[in-house]
């Protein structure tokens, strides 16, 4: 599935690594998805709320189904979230540059998670 197809088919996105720092990609990606009309959930153990939005510390506490998990974190923290994806049945992981390595991608694929390797900011620019 291409990134554009994914964006046209799915509407519920969790941004893993959402931050209150507006200069960081975690913030920019979250805001872009919301601006484009996607149901967007911020995931971070550091915050309870950012800009009036509730932030969740884990994927499994989000009160809605998630179609796509967007990774904006260091790969060393990815395994925990992959485990949560497996448990709740999230089938797509959108991996931003610098958020993955071969071990992470192999783990995802071995559990039926399809990694999308692309910059989501570029793909959502002209939606």
């Amino acid at each position: 599935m291409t990134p554009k197809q994914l964006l046209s088919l799915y509407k519920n996105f969790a941004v893993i690594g959402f931050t209150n720092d507006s200069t960081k990609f975690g913030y920019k990606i979250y805001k872009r998805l919301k601006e484009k009309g996607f149901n967007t959930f911020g995931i971070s153990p550091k915050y309870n709320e950012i800009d009036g939005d509730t932030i969740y510390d884990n994927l499994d506490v989000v009160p809605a189904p998630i179609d796509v998990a967007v990774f904006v974190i260091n790969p060393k923290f990815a395994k925990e979230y992959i485990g949560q994806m497996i448990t709740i049945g999230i089938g797509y992981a959108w991996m931003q540059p610098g958020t993955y390595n071969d071990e992470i991608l192999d783990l995802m694929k071995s559990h039926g998670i399809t990694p999308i390797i692309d910059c989501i900011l570029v793909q959502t620019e002209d939606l």
Side-chain angles (χ1 to χ4, degrees):
M1 179 175 303
T2 69
K4 291 290 187 194
Q5 290 170 324
L6 193 77
L7 291 166
S8 69
L9 289 174
Y10 297 105
K11 296 298 175 199
N12 298 322
F13 287 72
V15 178
I16 302 168
F18 184 38
T19 176
N20 65 356
D21 185 341
S22 63
T23 66
K24 301 280 187 178
F25 286 111
Y27 185 90
K28 292 176 183 182
I29 289 168
Y30 179 89
K31 291 300 184 177
R32 170 75 58 81
L33 288 169
K34 281 191 72 158
E35 288 170 8
K36 297 296 182 173
F38 293 94
N39 300 319
T40 310
F41 303 94
I43 309 297
S44 174
K46 295 180 183 180
Y47 308 100
N48 294 319
E49 182 181 305
I50 296 175
D51 295 340
D53 292 348
T54 300
I55 307 307
Y56 303 93
D57 59 352
N58 290 301
L59 293 167
D60 54 7
V61 296
V62 174
I66 299 167
D67 300 313
V68 181
V70 181
F71 281 70
V72 194
I73 57 172
N74 186 308
K76 69 183 177 182
F77 301 114
K79 286 182 183 178
E80 174 184 346
Y81 293 104
I82 294 168
Q84 294 170 28
M85 290 178 70
I86 293 163
T87 300
I88 60 178
I90 301 171
Y92 294 96
W94 200 309
M95 308 305 290
Q96 302 311 295
T99 65
Y100 59 90
N101 55 37
D102 289 341
E103 178 186 5
I104 296 301
L105 297 178
D106 289 344
L107 178 62
M108 288 179 172
K109 291 174 188 174
S110 73
H111 288 282
I113 297 169
T114 302
I116 306 297
I117 311 297
D118 205 337
C119 177
I120 199 166
L121 286 175
V122 171
Q123 293 297 330
T124 56
E125 214 169 43
D126 56 356
L127 288 181

